[in-house]
Amino acid sequence: MIDPFLFAKGIALGIAIAAPVGPIGVLTIRRTLIHGPRHGILTGVGAALADGVFGLIAAFGMVALSTWLISLKTGLHLIGGTVLLVLAIRTLLHAGHIERDPEKGRTEGGEIRAVASAFLLTLSNPMTILTFATAFTAVGLAETLSFASGLILVAGVFLGSASWFTALSLVVSATGGRLTPRTLLWIDRVAGVLLLVFSAYMFLALWLRW
């Protein structure tokens, strides 16, 4: 029998794992302020998709795949750290500037890229699988789930994670107001520094592991 609260548990887990401030949160806030809530929400969707992948692996006890991904953490952290470094440098170099398409009135930067970059950044931390496994155990989901139950749980995780970033983006958009050039400059500077810190953390973790 499927737990009637399984979907709700998945939503709660998705929110709990997405809520801590990290590089995706910083990107969501910055993209919302610079490009509008649509880009912020799509950034969150990309992260939620990666959370869904990790949740799927944990829910179905895919030990072999989980172990394989964790074994790749050095390479994935290197990729993630590099991507964050590039984003940080780009943010700092273009601080205070918004490039818009004069014909469409929309900021440059593909929506697909917003989803893909967040997905890859989230996926670059395979240790999230262990976070999900621990969380599942904490809420009494350590046992092997049926196929239907697993899908319901992961759907809840995805919705919870996506909902958190959507709410974050909408709140930032509603309270951001009109940005002055000086405000925009400082937003970019702070975001760039934070992204540099996250990148440095990834590289430091790699160095300590070696």
Side-chain angles (χ1 to χ4, degrees):
M1 179 178 178
I2 297 178
D3 181 355
F5 299 106
L6 192 59
F7 188 64
K9 289 179 180 178
I11 292 176
L13 287 173
I15 294 175
I17 291 173
V21 178
I24 300 301
V26 173
L27 284 178
T28 298
I29 293 171
R30 182 181 183 274
R31 286 174 176 174
T32 297
L33 289 172
I34 307 301
H35 303 297
R38 184 179 181 86
H39 273 73
I41 291 172
L42 288 174
T43 298
V45 169
L49 285 172
D51 283 341
V53 170
F54 287 139
L56 198 64
I57 294 172
F60 290 111
M62 299 177 185
V63 179
L65 182 56
S66 170
T67 302
W68 178 68
L69 279 174
I70 292 175
S71 71
L72 295 177
K73 63 184 177 182
T74 297
L76 291 173
H77 278 187
L78 181 60
I79 293 173
T82 302
V83 171
L84 286 173
L85 180 61
V86 171
L87 286 173
I89 293 174
R90 183 177 178 180
T91 297
L92 291 172
L93 288 178
H94 296 280
H97 298 284
I98 302 179
E99 298 178 358
R100 297 183 181 275
D101 183 333
E103 296 181 359
K104 298 181 180 179
R106 294 174 61 182
T107 46
E108 290 184 350
E111 295 172 350
I112 293 178
R113 186 171 61 188
V115 176
S117 60
F119 177 79
L120 291 175
L121 278 176
T122 306
L123 208 63
S124 69
N125 184 17
M127 297 304 288
T128 305
I129 296 173
L130 299 181
T131 302
F132 274 107
T134 301
F136 287 172
T137 301
V139 295
L141 298 172
E143 68 278 3
T144 302
L145 295 167
S146 67
F147 182 74
S149 296
L151 290 182
I152 291 173
L153 179 64
V154 172
V157 167
F158 170 78
L159 182 60
S161 180
S163 296
W164 170 263
F165 288 114
T166 296
L168 175 64
S169 182
L170 292 177
V171 168
V172 170
S173 178
T175 59
R178 296 179 61 84
L179 297 177
T180 65
R182 183 174 179 81
T183 301
L184 183 59
L185 175 64
W186 278 104
I187 288 172
D188 277 347
R189 284 176 175 173
V190 172
V193 170
L194 286 175
L195 291 173
L196 276 177
V197 170
F198 289 126
S199 175
Y201 174 79
M202 280 195 169
F203 287 128
L204 178 61
L206 286 176
W207 181 74
L208 292 176
R209 205 161 24 240
W210 288 339

